[in-house]
Amino acid sequence: MLRLMVGLLVSEAQTDAQPEALPTISDRRKKETISQMATMTKKTQEIEQVTLRFAGDSGDGMQLTGSQFASTTAMIGNDISTLPDYPAEIRAPVGTTYGVSGFQLRFGASEVTTPGDVCDVLVAMNAAALKVNLRSLRDGGMIIANSGGFDDRNLKLSRYESNPLEDGSLSRYQLHLMDINKLTASALADMNLNMKVAARCKNFFALGVTYWMFNRPLEPTIQWIRDKFKKTPELVEANTRVLHAGYAYGETTEIFTVRYDVRPAKLSPGTYRFITGNEAFAWGLIAASVKSRLELFLGSYPITPASTILHELAKHKHFGVKTFQAEDEIAAITSAIGASYGGSLAVTTTSGPGLALKTEAMGLAVMLELPLIICDVQRGGPCTGLPTKTEQADLLQAVYGRNSEAPIPVIAPATPAECFEMAFEACRIAIKYMTPVLVLSDGYLANGAEPWLVPAPESLPTLPVRFRTEPQGFEPYSRDEQTLARPWAIPGTPGLEHRVGGLEKQHITGDVCYDPDNHDFMVKLRAEKVGRIANDIPLAKVDGEESGDILVVGWGSTFGAIRAAVEKVRSTGVPVSHLHLRHLNPLPRNTGEVLSRFRKVLIPEINLGQLSRILRERFLVPAIGLNRVEGLPLRTGDIEAKILEVLSNGH
Amino acid sequence: MNLVVETMNNAPAQPAQKYAQKDFQSDQDVRWCPGCGDYSILAQVQRVLPDLNIPREKLVWVSGIGCSSRFPYYVQTYGIHGIHGRAAAIASGLKMARPDLSVWVATGDGDGMSIGGNHLIHVFRRNVGIKILLFNNQIYGLTKGQFSPTSVEGQITASTPYGNIDHPFNPLLLALGSGAGFVARSVDREPKNLQEVIRRAAAHRGTTFVEIYQNCNVFNDGAFSTMTDKETHDDNVLVLEHGKPLIFGKDKKKGIRLNGFTPQLVDIGADGDAGLIVHNEKDHMLAFILAGLSSMPGMPRPIGVLYAVDRPAYESDMVGQIEKVKQSRGEGELAKLLQGGETWQIEW
Ligand code: SF4
């Protein structure tokens, strides 16, 4: 008991020097805790934020365990951010380090913007899981280890020379051992289940233990188990039992003396749900389809980590959604272009390698000037790269990566829930400007989840669409004076028969035209059309001082980590400003002006400096990059250190 | 009701007046080489379209890249001149989005079978209701004379100065093997037969595939001369008619029968007409045998409809599934989606 409490307190003191303060206990509570230590056996301690990581074999159900913990936690009102971290192999050999699947989540009584740099508590279901994940556990953190997963075979497969649970190598941590395999088996002993089926319940034991430890209700998970296994009552019984057994184990055994409480966060009032980026993206498209009264068409080819958008949309056919799993990436986008010509709200979803394959067709969409949403859920690259990991290295591909001058608006959501808004925004721009629009999501946003304040449908703007129907004076490439959009004239409309294609168009008539002056004019016109969107998007808004020594600029999913880092530095009294760009092409009109008000511009990115290049090239600012390309979200601590380094480097 | 349906509500289901051939001629100058077989194909299409009784605005021609793919510019309907090889995919998307349209694809042997081969086989398999005319001239014309996936072995072309060592596709076998439900062939110089085949294709639901032998008089002149020259025509062209025996030749004195699975020439004058194959468009195996004749020396090449079976088109299944889900779950409502399932309230 003493060891545990002191452990947490000591670790808190240590983290003060570290980039990110982990469980913070208010000073008052700290004193109370210490004074009451001697008199209470099981004590509840209040903490502000905590990071927890479940790790096991990819067959151990860690994603499920993590997401159950996450949704229960969201439901009781904590703010939360999640990071599923799983291997590309579906079922790598059991017990190996490359088969380890993890799920990290950070939750708190205050705003949580990242899933945490390092975790406070690591649940390791076997030796390989410990081996792979120990580096993400902070010094003094807690390990809940399933000792049943550390037999000779496990140790050998994960290349441990001796058992780390016994050889003292984990003395820097608070180690709690329990044989979850055995405890699960004995909880189910009288049920006559086959051994394999019984063993598969063990993740619920771990979940039960953590539910006890963090004082979470079991009911939402029990309900989930009931729904999930409604066809096999046996499994409902088994999993529920094991969950209870885990909870009871925490309650009754000697090894845990403290449990923790994380108070609900002060979130704005309203209806919330827990949502991943890909779900939010799919729903944003559905909302845009409803608000524009256009039928939604998705042409897509399976690719990690974008496929779940296809899965999600395929579930919602009652909205009239047409989902087409095409034979390849090219058919996916070209079928969407065909659908758009026919008057659908057409979308294609993919990841980097697929985006590369769609390149030529994106050029066609630029030429045809038809609305089209292209979503690239970025992953580690190049080539096949790291399919299940996150990266931000497709920015230049998105903005520039096509033959010739082929401008396409590019936008990027900052958080999982924001994928909803950005999908909607992409549709708005595409329809209004008759243009393809590229949305850059990434693996972290796609699979990560957070509580989302659900918008009221009435609060979403309508997306007005007018198909051209008037034959009088119709010219396929005439333009709206303000937006430069051409008319959307769909087949079936009498008198508007016309041909479009990938050959250069004559201004106004849209006839094939090889005239040099016309080509020069059209190249500039297409650029101008996309450029004008800058008049129709929010101005760049700085968080913090409007001018000063340093501005940290970010885009996409690094928002949370940057924000947390900026706040950490500010809390020490050093002013730091933060600008997050959601519109990357065109950039907000005042971007250059905003950048010029700061002495230093720091741009953290999960690439080798792609936004840095764009901003340097556009505004001649000496942007400084923070570039780590690990396939993981940036760490708050790294950003914080870099801010301080840049500030102290006074040239 | 969505906006497209609402917009289309005002459009007539039938053409207001009976069209003439010239109603389908666009104002664009036709730019194929003089003497190119494409002219005849265009003329036959423009001749047949008025008979289909489809409002002009409901017709869409989609193409990829190549000489054949200029086709949409010359027909006064809606049209998309797409990118190389992708016509079938673009047309599929359009047809799925708009089952009310009559969607046609003009493609070639390079566009359709080389760079676009993947789309072609999958559209056959799925049976999306698009009408594909593949102009087979056994050469790349637009890029100036390289061999194509239907060029014959040994052919001297710009990229095979010592002779082509590629083995060609048989487009009809490819279509049949991929599950196409309507497979036909015609020739640019057979206007009557071509018109008839196009009419049949128009009436068929699901994917229709028509291979059209087309002479490229610049880069591969005379590729089909045995079928088009007066003197050799009758001995080399087998006109298929459902329910009729396979008879051809100058005096209708030649026939085809089967020896096991192998087709055999029959001299009707000497041997009589017993045992001749009777054409049956619904017989899948027979269609394979007929398609295979093209690569058997001494055999005529069949033209007309080889195979036609009716099965539901992909887009109607797609719509049907949506309707079913709507019936069981009710029309989608945004409020229910956003606020349904696992949500919680935060109140202050
Ligand atoms: S190159 Fe051949 S196929 Fe092309 S237009 Fe000329 S003759 Fe016709």
Side-chain angles (χ1 to χ4, degrees):
Chain A
M1 157 179 149
L2 203 129
R3 190 169 67 109
L4 173 65
M5 291 187 128
V6 172
L8 261 173
L9 295 175
V10 166
S11 72
E12 206 242 332
Q14 280 177 343
T15 54
D16 282 345
Q18 286 185 357
E20 194 169 352
L22 294 162
T24 25
I25 306 164
S26 71
D27 283 347
R28 196 175 54 82
R29 300 275 327 172
K30 212 186 290 184
K31 276 185 214 124
E32 268 175 24
T33 311
I34 293 166
S35 66
Q36 289 165 4
M37 215 158 50
T39 56
M40 295 186 61
T41 45
K42 296 250 175 186
K43 167 159 181 53
T44 299
Q45 212 173 3
E46 210 175 287
I47 49 179
E48 186 71 17
Q49 297 207 342
V50 67
T51 301
L52 170 62
R53 189 177 183 98
F54 294 96
D57 248 331
S58 41
D60 280 347
M62 289 297 101
Q63 301 305 318
L64 192 154
T65 312
S67 53
Q68 276 302 306
F69 190 98
S71 59
T72 298
T73 292
M75 264 185 227
I76 60 174
N78 289 130
D79 200 8
I80 180 166
S81 171
T82 70
L83 174 69
D85 179 19
Y86 52 92
E89 293 75 20
I90 301 300
R91 286 274 188 277
V94 176
T96 57
T97 48
Y98 47 90
V100 171
S101 166
F103 192 104
Q104 183 164 314
L105 53 97
R106 180 170 178 80
F107 58 104
S110 47
E111 189 189 26
V112 174
T113 58
T114 79
D117 287 3
V118 289
C119 56
D120 304 302
V121 179
L122 171 65
V123 178
M125 298 298 282
N126 65 11
L130 180 71
K131 179 119 198 189
V132 171
N133 289 287
L134 194 59
R135 66 174 224 153
S136 63
L137 182 65
R138 69 163 164 80
D139 269 359
M142 183 191 294
I143 299 169
I144 298 175
N146 168 23
S147 54
F150 287 74
D151 63 13
D152 290 348
R153 203 182 117 78
N154 285 120
L155 293 171
K156 204 169 147 216
L157 281 171
S158 45
R159 298 184 206 285
Y160 271 118
E161 312 254 296
S162 64
N163 190 341
L165 305 183
E166 293 162 1
D167 64 10
S169 60
L170 300 176
S171 59
R172 286 166 30 226
Y173 308 99
Q174 309 155 45
L175 183 59
H176 297 297
L177 301 182
M178 59 196 79
D179 189 338
I180 294 181
N181 297 4
K182 262 205 196 120
L183 290 161
T184 300
S186 61
L188 301 174
D190 58 342
M191 277 191 69
N192 277 331
L193 287 175
N194 103 26
M195 295 244 294
K196 257 198 181 152
V197 173
R200 235 178 267 147
C201 300
K202 66 174 182 260
N203 56 329
F204 283 99
F205 192 93
L207 186 60
V209 172
T210 53
Y211 275 174
W212 175 82
M213 171 167 279
F214 293 101
N215 209 358
R216 320 269 101 177
L218 302 183
E219 203 39 51
T221 297
I222 293 172
Q223 193 50 52
W224 181 89
I225 292 172
R226 278 193 202 124
D227 290 348
K228 172 87 186 172
F229 302 109
K230 59 174 172 273
K231 291 202 184 107
T232 28
E234 232 180 30
L235 291 181
V236 173
E237 166 71 14
N239 286 309
T240 309
R241 256 204 220 188
V242 174
L243 180 72
H244 277 295
Y247 194 90
Y249 185 82
E251 182 81 41
T252 53
T253 53
E254 287 292 308
I255 63 167
F256 296 112
T257 48
V258 181
R259 68 196 306 201
Y260 303 93
D261 199 14
V262 180
R263 287 279 179 84
K266 263 253 177 259
L267 300 170
S268 314
T271 304
Y272 280 78
R273 68 183 315 130
F274 200 54
I275 197 158
T276 66
N278 276 358
E279 277 166 351
F281 190 83
W283 289 19
L285 294 174
I286 292 174
S289 157
V290 171
K291 292 291 176 173
S292 61
R293 298 176 60 223
L294 295 175
E295 195 172 84
L296 187 59
F297 178 94
L298 173 71
S300 189
Y301 185 75
I303 185 168
T304 303
S307 304
T308 46
I309 301 173
L310 166 64
H311 304 173
E312 184 60 26
L313 283 176
K315 287 184 205 158
H316 299 288
K317 295 218 184 297
H318 55 312
F319 281 91
V321 178
K322 289 178 176 164
T323 55
F324 173 54
Q325 182 179 319
E327 59 273 22
D328 58 31
E329 294 281 358
I330 297 171
I333 183 171
T334 48
S335 62
I337 290 172
S340 175
Y341 184 67
S344 290
L345 179 57
V347 183
T348 187
T349 49
T350 189
S351 184
L355 190 71
L357 287 166
K358 294 182 198 291
T359 303
E360 185 193 15
M362 285 194 273
L364 178 65
V366 169
M367 262 332 219
L368 300 188
E369 301 191 43
L370 285 169
L372 176 71
I373 316 303
I374 304 143
C375 177
D376 171 14
V377 184
Q378 300 164 95
R379 68 189 214 186
C383 190
T384 313
L386 306 169
T388 59
K389 308 290 178 192
T390 199
E391 203 163 280
Q392 294 187 299
D394 297 351
L395 178 60
L396 294 178
Q397 183 183 5
V399 176
Y400 300 117
R402 288 164 290 282
N403 62 303
S404 186
E405 297 289 348
I408 292 184
V410 179
I411 62 177
T415 72
E418 209 182 273
C419 291
F420 179 89
E421 257 170 78
M422 285 293 124
F424 199 88
E425 170 70 351
C427 296
R428 179 189 76 87
I429 294 174
I431 293 167
K432 183 166 174 184
Y433 292 86
M434 293 291 286
T435 177
V437 175
L438 220 152
V439 184
L440 284 178
S441 178
D442 64 31
Y444 163 58
L445 295 176
N447 294 316
E450 64 178 346
W452 175 43
L453 177 60
V454 177
E458 332 55 274
S459 71
L460 299 169
T462 51
L463 298 175
V465 179
R466 228 176 57 84
F467 292 128
R468 170 87 189 203
T469 50
E470 177 54 47
Q472 198 62 42
F474 170 68
E475 296 284 0
Y477 278 71
S478 62
R479 294 189 184 268
D480 180 279
E481 267 179 37
Q482 192 202 339
T483 60
L484 299 180
R486 75 175 192 89
W488 198 355
I490 60 171
T493 317
L496 302 189
E497 294 84 2
H498 67 285
R499 275 69 53 194
V500 294
L503 289 170
E504 180 60 289
K505 301 281 165 290
Q506 187 175 53
H507 180 45
I508 310 285
T509 67
D511 289 344
V512 173
C513 181
Y514 296 100
D515 177 70
D517 289 335
N518 178 73
H519 179 53
D520 179 68
F521 178 83
M522 290 300 282
V523 165
K524 289 172 180 162
L525 184 71
R526 285 186 287 263
E528 166 78 11
K529 182 173 93 161
V530 171
R532 282 196 191 183
I533 296 169
N535 299 327
D536 196 16
I537 58 175
L539 290 176
K541 203 172 147 342
V542 174
D543 168 53
E545 303 296 327
E546 290 292 325
S547 62
D549 283 341
I550 187 165
L551 177 71
V552 187
V553 184
W555 68 280
S557 71
T558 49
F559 169 78
I562 295 175
R563 175 155 179 162
V566 164
E567 276 175 5
K568 288 291 297 280
V569 178
R570 274 185 200 154
S571 69
T572 66
V574 179
V576 186
S577 298
H578 178 198
L579 172 63
H580 191 79
L581 294 170
R582 288 173 175 83
H583 292 84
L584 296 154
N585 190 40
L587 290 159
R589 269 183 303 154
N590 62 336
T591 308
E593 193 262 317
V594 167
L595 297 177
S596 71
R597 288 192 245 124
F598 292 86
R599 268 193 337 111
K600 299 271 176 68
V601 173
L602 170 64
I603 308 182
E605 294 178 86
I606 314 174
N607 59 42
L608 294 184
Q610 301 196 1
L611 181 64
S612 294
R613 273 181 215 213
I614 291 176
L615 296 186
R616 282 188 203 122
E617 173 239 340
R618 288 285 306 279
F619 307 111
L620 303 176
V621 285
I624 302 161
L626 165 59
N627 308 100
R628 286 191 68 91
V629 199
E630 302 174 310
L632 296 169
L634 291 182
R635 277 185 287 274
T636 303
D638 292 345
I639 302 171
E640 193 189 339
K642 187 73 183 180
I643 293 172
L644 296 173
E645 180 201 311
V646 169
L647 279 173
S648 66
N649 220 336
H651 43 84
Chain B
M1 193 192 315
N2 76 45
L3 203 59
V4 172
V5 175
E6 191 180 292
T7 310
M8 292 305 123
N9 264 347
N10 310 323
Q14 298 280 316
Q17 89 278 19
K18 174 92 179 116
Y19 295 121
Q21 183 180 351
K22 66 167 180 14
D23 290 321
F24 288 99
Q25 292 164 354
S26 79
D27 60 356
Q28 304 291 304
D29 297 332
V30 183
R31 297 199 207 168
W32 289 308
C33 306
C36 174
D38 290 351
Y39 283 95
S40 164
I41 302 174
L42 178 62
Q44 306 328 315
V45 166
Q46 286 166 335
R47 241 164 239 156
V48 171
L49 289 180
D51 302 344
L52 302 183
N53 212 27
I54 298 171
R56 203 165 58 172
E57 64 272 12
K58 291 266 184 194
L59 287 158
V60 187
W61 282 85
V62 181
S63 68
I65 296 294
C67 291
S68 60
S69 291
R70 295 300 174 93
F71 201 88
Y73 289 119
Y74 308 140
V75 199
Q76 183 56 25
T77 62
Y78 283 88
I80 306 177
H81 178 212
I83 45 177
H84 205 13
R86 318 304 170 198
I90 296 171
S92 292
L94 178 58
K95 184 69 180 175
M96 283 178 236
R98 295 287 305 280
D100 61 310
L101 301 175
S102 175
V103 180
W104 294 71
V105 168
T107 184
D109 41 317
D111 188 59
M113 311 204 68
S114 191
I115 191 166
N118 198 31
H119 309 306
L120 205 61
I121 57 175
H122 287 279
V123 82
F124 290 150
R125 168 175 79 79
R126 288 190 193 106
N127 205 32
V128 182
I130 60 177
K131 324 284 170 205
I132 300 169
L133 308 185
L134 184 138
F135 304 5
N136 182 5
N137 57 16
Q138 300 185 343
I139 198 81
Y140 281 83
L142 195 68
T143 51
K144 299 199 163 57
Q146 301 82 5
F147 75 94
S148 88
T150 56
S151 295
V152 297
E153 276 176 47
Q155 192 170 323
I156 307 288
T157 74
S159 55
T160 54
Y162 300 106
N164 176 25
I165 55 170
D166 259 23
H167 186 74
F169 266 134
N170 177 325
L172 302 179
L173 282 176
L174 184 79
L176 288 165
S178 316
F182 181 99
V183 178
R185 179 197 276 146
S186 194
V187 187
D188 54 3
R189 301 275 199 88
E190 299 268 358
K192 285 268 130 48
N193 180 273
L194 181 51
Q195 286 174 33
E196 182 49 28
V197 166
I198 295 171
R199 237 176 243 119
R200 286 285 311 276
H204 187 91
R205 63 173 181 166
T207 310
T208 64
F209 178 65
V210 182
E211 178 192 23
I212 305 170
Y213 284 150
Q214 173 246 323
N215 193 39
C216 169
N217 54 308
V218 173
F219 294 110
N220 198 16
D221 196 24
F224 309 104
S225 57
T226 54
M227 293 178 74
T228 53
D229 288 356
K230 253 209 178 92
E231 311 76 68
T232 51
H233 172 274
D234 292 354
D235 284 340
N236 287 286
V237 176
L238 170 68
V239 182
L240 298 173
E241 277 181 88
H242 183 61
K244 300 266 173 68
L246 303 188
I247 297 178
F248 66 105
K250 242 185 199 97
D251 317 307
K252 300 279 170 209
K253 281 284 186 275
K254 292 182 180 179
I256 297 175
R257 71 176 171 215
L258 281 181
N259 179 9
F261 292 108
T262 311
Q264 232 177 21
L265 272 185
V266 181
D267 179 346
I268 296 175
D271 304 340
D273 60 3
L276 292 184
I277 299 173
V278 175
H279 183 43
N280 177 1
E281 292 173 358
K282 313 238 173 289
D283 187 333
H284 203 211
M285 285 305 132
L286 177 60
F288 276 99
I289 289 169
L290 295 174
L293 287 178
S294 320
S295 37
M296 295 177 72
M299 282 290 181
R301 294 189 179 200
I303 64 171
V305 177
L306 279 83
Y307 185 61
V309 287
D310 186 48
R311 63 183 169 102
Y314 183 88
E315 67 278 5
S316 22
D317 284 351
M318 187 179 235
V319 171
Q321 198 175 50
I322 288 173
E323 289 312 316
K324 249 200 198 143
V325 178
K326 278 184 179 174
Q327 268 168 25
S328 71
R329 295 179 63 182
E331 191 93 27
E333 277 176 51
L334 202 49
K336 270 197 198 158
L337 173 72
L338 298 176
Q339 269 135 29
E342 286 186 356
T343 58
W344 65 92
Q345 300 294 324
I346 293 206
E347 284 152 24
W348 278 7

